[in-house]
């Protein structure tokens, strides 16, 4: 499959020809070394001058341009001491020479001193200032394959369940999470995917629904978190992409209805709310408030504040984040999954899967969407990443790396599909900051992504379980509900490496889904992904259209389509423009 990149073979030369060729090779090597040394010197000189600029920035706090700079709080060299750093790049304290990689020469990543460097940071992004010639990387045939899946999933929803929250593909009917039609979750979750796949007529059908029929005045409890990531997220990204004001108006309406959930002792929102009455309450099925739920609100609320100028939304969602980030932890960087209404941690178990996942994701993404200026987020994420690696990352005897749950004393040997988002998260962290952890996080991202691919590949139907024991790839929790996390990480790895294997992995997964889950009325999940004959679950998740199909499509698209330089994906794969890209 790499043959098309191979240079044509030449006939083998005789001995003297070989000697001449070797001589030429040495000359070239020597020249290369001299050029690299010169470039390296330029970079060292450049970074030391940036360091000088950085120091002067620490001075006047009243200077608006440097308002967020907190050098005393965030010193990357003061890393948690528990970690034994191996194989990183040179630190600024150790000037031993290392050749810069090709990427470093062309697109040097910012160092921490650049973080508050008002704009210089973003201008270094590859797509805007790169001298490199643009390469169109779209694979039109594979894109069409994925788009066909979306046409079938969306078309079936329109035909059998339009206006309901979800489609039941086998019974060809609709399903609502609450009374009546619910709030049309699949319409709102699908808007940006329709736009990105250039399904403009369908987008128009959805837009008209949002304009003329959508109502949030519905009775019955809905999840504050799910409403936020799917409904608010879907509306805001539809607004960012299309500019239609109605999406922003609707986002304001739904967030106003969510706000009463924040009237609690600690400012941590209740998990459930009745959108009609505004009365809110905690889940019955778990104690206290859930980390991934209250910790995955700020990206959306902040974006809404940025777009409307109303700071209330950001302030309200900031409060619980500041509250938990300021709390004492038994293990620095690891946050218990639950907290009670008095602000006491409830469990002593840690995970990056269910109940925690997107909290960690948002620590990083809050930093990235803010153009890497507010170092409090990156600092918190860094601390978490170090602890996650130490306590929750495992390696099997055959070398497969996985991310699991555990306590201070033990860790499990399984991995949830939900946790598979972490491959992309570690890759994103590595590609947005250069420090001694860069290579390490990127490798961890790549390793986790590969394990998640194997969670599909090793199964009889090519479909992953909800939870897999990684030592032998035995399915432990056997249902499959069209989750996106594996293809999400595959998408990030593709964008950052352009290694064809990632596209191959994504296509294998797409084909397996088509084989097992496509029915006349849409796409179903499976009650048991090992069962023969198939045990379908008659459920088409809204995140199948919002995330799984979107990440698969973007995997085969050109890098410019939702460029990672310009957008940050919320945890439901809704792309938001970075703060610096918003028109003031
Ligand atoms: C989605 O709603 C989001 O990705 C969320 O963060 C986790 N669960 C589902 C998909 O698995």
């Amino acid at each position: 499959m790499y043959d098309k990149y191979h240079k044509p073979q030449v006939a083998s030369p005789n001995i003297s020809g070989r000697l001449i060729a070797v001589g030429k090779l040495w000359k070239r090597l020597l020249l290369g070394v001299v050029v690299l040394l010169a470039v390296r010197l330029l970079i060292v000189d450049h970074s030391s001058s940036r360091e000088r600029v950085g120091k002067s920035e620490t001075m006047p706090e009243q200077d608006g341009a440097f308002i967020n700079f907190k050098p005393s709080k965030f010193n990357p060299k003061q890393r948690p001491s528990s970690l034994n750093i191996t194989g990183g790049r040179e630190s600024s304290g150790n000037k031993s020479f290392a050749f810069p990689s090709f990427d470093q020469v062309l697109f040097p990543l910012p160092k921490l001193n650049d973080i508050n460097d008002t704009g210089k940071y973003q201008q270094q992004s590859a797509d805007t200032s790169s001298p490199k010639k643009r390469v169109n990387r779209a694979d039109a045939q594979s894109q069409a394959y994925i788009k066909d899946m979306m046409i079938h999933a969306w078309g079936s929803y329109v035909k059998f369940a339009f206006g309901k929250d979800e489609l039941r593909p086998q019974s060809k009917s609709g399903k609502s999470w609450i009374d009546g039609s619910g709030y049309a979750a699949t319409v709102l979750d699908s808007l940006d995917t329709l736009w990105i796949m250039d399904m403009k007529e369908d987008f128009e059908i959805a837009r008209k629904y949002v304009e003329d029929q959508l109502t949030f005045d519905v009775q019955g409890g809905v999840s504050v978190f799910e409403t936020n990531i799917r409904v608010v997220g879907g509306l805001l990204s539809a607004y960012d992409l299309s500019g239609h004001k109605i999406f922003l108006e609707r986002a304001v309406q739904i967030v106003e209805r969510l706000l009463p959930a924040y009237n609690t002792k600690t400012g941590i929102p209740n998990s459930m709310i009745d959108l009609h009455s505004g009365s809110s309450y905690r889940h019955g099925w778990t104690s206290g408030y859930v980390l991934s739920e209250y910790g995955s609100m700020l990206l959306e609320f902040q974006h809404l504040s940025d777009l409307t100028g109303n700071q209330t939304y950001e302030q309200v969602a900031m409060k619980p984040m500041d509250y938990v980030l300021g709390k004492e932890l038994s293990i620095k960087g690891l946050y218990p999954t639950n907290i009670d209404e008095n602000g006491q941690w409830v469990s002593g178990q840690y995970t990056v899967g269910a109940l925690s996942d997107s909290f960690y994701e948002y620590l990083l993404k809050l930093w990235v969407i803010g153009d890497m200026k507010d170092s409090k987020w990156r600092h918190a994420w860094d601390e978490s990443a170090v602890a996650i690696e130490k306590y929750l990352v495992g390696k099997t005897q055959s070398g497969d790396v996985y991310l699991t749950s555990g306590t201070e004393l033990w860790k499990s040997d399984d991995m949830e599909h939900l946790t598979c988002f972490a491959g992309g998260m570690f890759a994103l962290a590595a590609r947005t900051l250069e420090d001694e952890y860069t290579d390490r996080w990127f490798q961890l991202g790549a390793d986790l992504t590969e394990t998640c691919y194997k969670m599909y590949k090793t199964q009889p139907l090519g479909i992953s379980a909800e939870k897999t024991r990684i030592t032998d790839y035995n399915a432990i929790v056997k249902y499959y509900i069209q989750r996106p996390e594996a293809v999400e990480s595959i998408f990030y790895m593709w964008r950052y490496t352009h290694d064809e294997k990632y596209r191959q992995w994504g296509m294998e997964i797409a084909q397996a889904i088509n084989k097992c889950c496509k029915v006349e009325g849409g796409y179903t999940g499976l009650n048991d992904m090992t069962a023969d004959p198939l045990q379908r679950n008659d459920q088409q998740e809204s995140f199948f259209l919002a995330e799984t199909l979107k990440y698969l499509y973007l995997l085969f698209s050109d890098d410019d389509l939702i460029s990672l330089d310009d957008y940050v994906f919320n945890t439901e794969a809704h792309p938001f423009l970075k703060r610096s890209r918003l028109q003031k």
Side-chain angles (χ1 to χ4, degrees), residues 355-367:
L355 308 182
S356 296
D357 46 5
S358 42
F359 166 78
Y360 296 107
E361 177 186 351
Y362 273 26
L363 291 181
L364 178 66
K365 288 184 172 176
L366 283 163
W367 182 69

Side-chain angles (χ1 to χ4, degrees), residues 189 225-226 229-230 292 296 357-358 361-362 417-418 421 466 481-485 488 542-544 547-548 551 570-573:
D189 237 359
F225 159 76
E226 296 291 358
I229 65 169
R230 301 187 199 211
S292 59
S296 312
D357 46 5
S358 42
E361 177 186 351
Y362 273 26
H417 193 287
L418 272 169
F421 83 95
E466 177 72 0
I481 56 167
Q482 312 173 329
R483 288 198 190 279
E485 294 80 13
E488 173 179 351
S542 77
F543 54 69
F544 180 62
E547 302 190 72
T548 311
Y551 282 127
N570 89 337
T571 191
E572 187 79 0

Side-chain angles (χ1 to χ4, degrees), residues 111-127:
K111 296 205 164 74
L112 284 167
N113 287 333
D114 299 336
I115 282 173
N116 207 39
D117 204 356
T118 58
K120 258 200 300 177
Y121 193 102
Q122 301 91 321
Q123 285 157 22
Q124 292 178 352
S125 67
D127 280 350

Side-chain angles (χ1 to χ4, degrees), residues 43 69 195 221 303 313 351 384 426 437 453 473 484 544 546:
I43 286 173
F69 193 53
W195 180 271
H303 199 50
Y313 312 122
T351 174
S384 293
F426 278 103
Y437 284 75
Y453 163 65
Y473 287 95
F544 180 62

Side-chain angles (χ1 to χ4, degrees), residues 157 163-166 177 181-191 214 230-231 542-543 546 572 574:
Y157 168 75
K164 301 274 185 192
D165 286 323
E166 280 165 352
W177 300 338
S181 66
Y183 47 28
T186 295
V187 173
L188 304 174
D189 237 359
S190 301
L191 283 163
L214 179 65
R230 301 187 199 211
V231 176
S542 77
F543 54 69
E572 187 79 0
H574 297 304

